[in-house]
Amino acid sequence: MPPPCSRCVSQRVINLETARKFGTATGALVGSLKGAYAALYAPGRIPASSAHFPLSRLAVAVMAAASSGIAGAAAGHQMVQHLFPPGEGAPWLCLGCGHAFRVLD
């Protein structure tokens, strides 16, 4: 059970460690999808060698997905990391008033 907010006594709080993990995973997924889509469907002429079997385009899509996934994961991590309050204990964020606080377990 999450602790109540120390400022407004609201029960609507989220664990920031869980939010950071979720943001990192979501950023990696979205970045991978964006990179693969951009590599596969980029406007341009398809080389004659890959018109029948686009192996080179597939390799480029895999590399773009990997690099974009890494960048997306870093962005998702940074989006949540700045919300963490300083100190020890489990970090929590109140969804009612926006107050970030820590609770020692």
Side-chain angles (χ1 to χ4, degrees):
M1 177 122 191
C5 177
S6 59
R7 182 183 291 169
C8 69
V9 195
S10 172
Q11 289 289 333
R12 296 179 3 194
V13 295
I14 186 170
N15 187 325
L16 284 175
E17 190 63 36
T18 304
R20 183 187 59 80
K21 291 176 185 175
F22 183 70
T24 301
T26 303
L29 179 64
V30 170
S32 296
L33 292 175
K34 180 200 169 288
Y37 181 80
L40 285 174
Y41 298 105
R45 202 168 69 85
I46 298 173
S49 64
S50 65
H52 298 290
F53 190 69
L55 184 60
S56 63
R57 197 169 244 198
L58 182 63
V60 168
V62 168
M63 291 184 60
S67 61
S68 297
I70 292 168
H77 177 77
Q78 288 295 340
M79 278 185 358
V80 178
Q81 191 67 30
H82 78 280
L83 295 173
F84 278 56
E88 296 292 321
W92 295 89
L93 176 68
C94 178
L95 299 176
C97 68
H99 176 63
F101 60 97
R102 290 190 180 260
V103 174
L104 292 174
D105 296 330

